[in-house]
Structures are given as C-alpha cells and as structure tokens.
Amino acid sequence: MSKTLKNISPIDGSTYAERPVLTLDEAHAAAARGKAAQAAWAARPLQERIDLVMAGVEAVGAMNDEIVPELAHMMGRPVRFGGEFGGFNERASYMAGIAAEALAPIEVGEDETFTRYIKRVPLGLAFVVAPWNYPYMTAINTVAPALIAGNTVMLKHATQTLLVGERMARAFHSAGVPEEVFQNVFLDHDTTSALIAGNAFDFVNFTGSVGGGKAIERAAAGTFTGTGLELGGKDPGYVMEDADLDAAVDTLIDGAMFNSGQCCCGIERIYVHESLYDAFLEKALAVVRGYKLGNPLDPETTIGPMAHVRFAQEVRAQIAEAIEMGATAHIETMPEDDGAAYLTPQILTGVTHEMRVMRDESFGPVVGIMKVSGDEEAIALMNDSHFGLTASLWTADVARAQAVGDRIETGTVFLNRADYLDPGLCWTGCKQTGRGGGLSVIGLHNLTRPKSYHLKRVTRA
C-alpha cells in the first residue's frame, strides 16, 4: 500500500486533503520527463515562454475565490485577507518584465576578426521545494523566472499546503505550458533526498527550516547540483528616537503578528530607543488587544490558528521559558485560545538574549521588546543572531539608516517599512538564513549559467 500525505486542518484537526506519494521509480521517471522536455522548451522564443507563464499566472488568479477558503482550511490564514494573488502576480510580472534585458547576451567585443559574447543559458531541470506559510508567493519566486529562463520545473509543496502545487500545475497546463515542463509532485523526505543525491536535478531551491536546508545540502553533497536555500529568520526592528511612532508600531506589530506570525521575514524582536519605549509599548499592546482570534473562515477573524498544533506548542514553550527567566507577558489569554492551534498573540518585555524567544526562530505570534540607549547597543543586539534575512529601521534620517544598515548582518535593510518582498531587489540572506538569492536580475542569473562564445571569424590574416 502506497504512503500518503495528509493535510490536517488547523481549524478543527480534521483531515482536509490526502494524496499518495510517488515511488522512487515513479519520481525518477518524472524527473527524466522534465529533463527530456527542457531543450525544446528552452528553444522556444523568450517572449513565447513569458506569455505562457503569465497566462498561467492569470489562470491562478481566476481560481482565487476557491483558493482563499482552501488556504484557510489548510494553514489557517483568515479569509478576510484575500489570499496571495496580489503578490503572486506582482512578482511574476516583474520577473517577466526584466527577463529580456537580464537574460540578454553580454557583448564583449566584435571586429573583423573576432566575435565575443557571454550568453545566459538555463540550468536544466529545477526542483522547487516550497513552504506552507505563503505557498503561492514563495513558489512563484522561483517557478516563474525558472520557466521564463528556459528551465523545466518540478514543484513539491509542504504537506500543510498539499493542494497548492496541484492548483498551480493545473492552471499553467490550462494556459498551454506543457505538462512535462511544469510538474507538481507528491514526495516523502526519503524519496526527495534520494532524487537529489542521484543527480535527478540541475538546481534545487528550498524554502524552509535550517534542518531542512542541511538535509538538502547533505543530499546534494558531491553531486555539484546548485542550491538556493532560504531558511530560518529572527528579524529585528529598531525604532530610533526620531521615528514616526504610530507608523513604527502599526508596521512592526503587524509584521510580527500577521499570518499568526508565520512569515519568513516576520518581525521577531524589537529594539526601541529608551525615549520612546513606554509609548511604543502602550500603543503596541492596544493593537494586539484589538485582535480577534478565531476561525479563519469567519470574516471577522483577524488572527487565525497556527498551521499546526506542534508549531503553536513550540511558541508556547518559548513564552513559558521566557516568563520563567523573568520576562513579562502582557496579553491575557484570549477565550478562543484552546491550548492547541489557536494561540493568543503575545508581547513580552523584560526579555534578554539568554532567552530562546530572542534567539531561536519562533515563527508564531510573539515578539519581545527591549529598550536600547542608541545605535551601538541596537546594532550589537541585532547582529547577535544566527540568522540574517531582514532588518527594519525606523528614523527620519536616511543617511543614518544607511550607516546603521551597513553594519547589520542581514540580507535586506528596510527603512520605515517591514515584511515585504520588492521583486526588483534580490531576496537573500546570510548566516543560517541560507545562501543564494531570488527575484531581481540576480534571481534570473541564479537560474542560468554563463556560457562564453569566442568566435574567430578568419583563420588567416
């Protein structure tokens, strides 16, 4: 009997969806089909590939009324927020718009004797392992530019959002992308590792945990398969003494709590200048106390359950440990908190970097707030982390923010905003957050390789 993957809905603990996994032989056959189809796909004109990809994106948008409640069932995001199509479309559209220039040959020189240039050619078959927290937007970061650049794609989604890849594949196929060019697959961990170790792919993109990233690297060891890894985060916000206080509170607390805190670049720790600390805390508490925890299918719900009980239990454990070590929890347990997936959002003060809640990724609706005396202390604390995805700075002084940003170990520096992927910028991280980069011109370059042409026109003078 074949193994199955089950999506357990955080709404009520029921099985929402179930799919059988491919056997290792079936998975190898799927990868072989993808590799075999790649040359013909890459031979199509660039504009044709762009048009087909964008038609697939449009077809996903046409499903949005079904997708929004489906996401609520699978991972708990409230329906009031309307799904992910805005960001999904923005990212794909941007990558389509820059493709011709980003993928154009680099002209090195030409005269009557030589023609020299560097082309960017596709890697081959790209394997995309997408996470559950923003399953459409994270997947399209790689799927769209990979296909546009002439690669074929195999997509594997997390079990928590089991149906997303199926929907994306159906939409893209309906728009005319060949089935072998974009395949959705259901795989278990052992088969995934065996495929990577067996050189089934030419590139692997993974978004997920540090442990998952290490497993990908171990599987790829010795294969020379390229990898792009976006792993954990513990993103800081720093509010300077001249910040717009209301804007800082609204943005940073939303960045900490939206999607029940399950955001790759969510704010997980906040450092506030001592002159604004009390006012910031008061306003932050008012925001969180105004949230409505509840069933994500209820349009009045502003914060839904975490995607799985075990995720919520990790956040509860971090909070409890912090309180034992002297932290103060300010939000009283909400009536809807069931001790399982439905979790009261929490603000902690009296926290230190000795506490896991300020060191380990929480990936839930909790944030610690610390008072700082100025830039030097804030920079030291922001850099005191194993992770480096984004950092959010709040000040009216752009030059000061740039100077502080230059000293922060991070992939992206935000000024007066947070928790947003600008597709014109490279989405990347440092330290245990991972390696590589998606979106922007660099994202297209990372899905291709340079190929040099040194063409001598004549052999005799």
Side-chain angles (χ1 to χ4, degrees):
M1 186 173 183
S2 65
K3 180 179 177 181
T4 60
L5 302 175
K6 293 184 179 182
N7 167 241
I8 305 301
S9 174
I11 292 177
D12 56 10
S14 64
T15 299
Y16 182 70
E18 187 173 355
R19 294 290 185 273
V21 300
L22 297 180
T23 66
L24 182 57
D25 286 345
E26 290 168 338
H28 271 299
R33 289 194 297 272
K35 283 199 170 188
Q38 190 270 322
W41 174 250
R44 296 194 186 203
L46 173 61
Q47 190 59 52
E48 181 180 332
R49 297 198 302 268
I50 290 171
D51 291 344
L52 286 169
V53 167
M54 292 312 299
V57 169
E58 184 178 356
V60 171
M63 300 177 176
N64 202 52
D65 287 346
E66 302 165 67
I67 285 172
V68 171
E70 191 170 84
L71 286 174
H73 279 288
M74 288 192 294
M75 51 76 67
R77 186 184 304 131
V79 295
R80 68 179 290 137
F81 298 117
E84 302 176 22
F85 185 69
F88 182 87
N89 182 57
E90 177 188 29
R91 297 174 191 186
S93 297
Y94 184 86
M95 298 306 285
I98 66 170
E101 183 176 356
L103 298 173
I106 300 170
E107 304 293 343
V108 176
E110 183 172 357
D111 56 28
E112 65 279 1
T113 306
F114 288 100
T115 295
R116 297 175 298 147
Y117 57 94
I118 304 167
K119 290 186 71 173
R120 299 221 60 97
V121 299
L123 298 173
L125 174 61
F127 182 45
V128 181
V129 184
W132 51 264
N133 62 319
Y134 284 94
Y136 285 93
M137 289 198 291
T138 52
I140 204 64
N141 289 352
T142 306
V143 170
L147 291 172
I148 287 169
N151 300 284
T152 50
V153 171
M154 274 180 61
L155 173 63
K156 172 194 177 300
H157 258 92
T159 305
Q160 199 62 50
T161 44
L162 197 59
L163 304 182
V164 172
E166 200 170 69
R167 277 199 177 274
M168 286 182 63
R170 188 190 317 157
F172 276 61
H173 297 160
S174 73
V177 176
E179 291 186 10
E180 296 79 8
V181 168
F182 180 32
Q183 300 178 78
N184 175 65
V185 291
F186 300 107
L187 305 174
D188 61 24
H189 293 317
D190 289 343
T191 299
T192 299
S193 294
L195 288 171
I196 296 170
N199 264 125
F201 309 112
D202 300 294
F203 182 78
V204 178
N205 179 266
F206 172 79
T207 304
S209 69
V210 174
K214 289 180 178 179
I216 296 287
E217 285 203 326
R218 282 193 297 269
T223 67
F224 305 110
T225 302
T227 59
L229 306 172
E230 188 209 314
L231 311 176
K234 195 71 183 173
D235 291 5
Y238 171 34
V239 182
M240 303 179 206
E241 66 274 13
D242 66 339
D244 180 329
L245 184 61
D246 288 337
V249 170
D250 289 345
T251 303
L252 291 175
I253 297 303
D254 181 67
M257 303 298 175
F258 186 77
N259 205 37
S260 297
Q262 300 165 135
C263 302
C264 299
C265 55
I267 297 296
E268 296 213 357
R269 48 199 175 108
I270 300 174
Y271 306 101
V272 183
H273 190 272
E274 56 195 6
S275 64
L276 295 181
Y277 178 82
D278 290 339
F280 184 97
L281 178 60
E282 180 182 0
K283 289 176 179 289
L285 294 175
V287 170
V288 175
R289 286 170 180 154
Y291 289 159
K292 176 175 172 48
L293 176 65
N295 189 317
L297 296 171
D298 181 350
E300 298 301 312
T301 293
T302 56
I303 186 166
M306 294 194 68
H308 198 283
V309 173
R310 72 177 184 274
F311 305 151
Q313 300 297 32
E314 168 61 13
V315 177
R316 287 191 175 92
Q318 290 188 20
I319 293 170
E321 290 168 21
I323 292 171
E324 285 181 11
M325 296 174 69
T328 299
H330 290 267
I331 307 299
E332 293 186 9
T333 302
M334 295 179 174
E336 298 82 4
D337 188 324
D338 63 353
Y342 289 85
L343 172 66
T344 300
Q346 190 56 264
I347 291 178
L348 300 173
T349 59
V351 290
T352 72
H353 278 219
E354 301 302 311
M355 301 171 182
R356 284 205 307 129
V357 77
M358 296 298 282
R359 294 195 326 270
D360 294 354
E361 185 171 37
S362 303
F363 218 64
V366 59
V367 66
I369 304 178
M370 292 179 67
K371 184 186 302 184
V372 295
S373 59
D375 293 354
E376 293 302 319
E377 184 180 9
I379 291 167
L381 289 167
M382 285 189 282
N383 286 340
D384 182 25
S385 174
H386 295 303
F387 303 106
L389 185 56
T390 79
S392 177
L393 307 179
W394 290 81
T395 175
D397 187 338
V398 175
R400 179 183 175 188
Q402 290 172 318
V404 170
D406 286 344
R407 297 173 61 192
I408 303 173
E409 297 159 353
T410 189
T412 295
V413 177
F414 288 117
L415 173 60
N416 299 329
R417 77 175 314 174
D419 193 23
Y420 170 72
L421 274 70
D422 181 338
L425 297 173
C426 183
W427 189 244
T428 187
C430 60
K431 300 192 278 191
Q432 289 191 19
T433 290
R435 69 160 92 187
L439 301 175
S440 77
V441 171
I442 293 171
L444 278 163
H445 286 182
N446 285 343
L447 289 162
T448 55
R449 66 176 178 85
K451 184 176 182 179
S452 295
Y453 288 76
H454 193 161
L455 310 179
K456 189 175 183 181
R457 294 175 179 273
V458 295
T459 57
R460 298 178 187 276

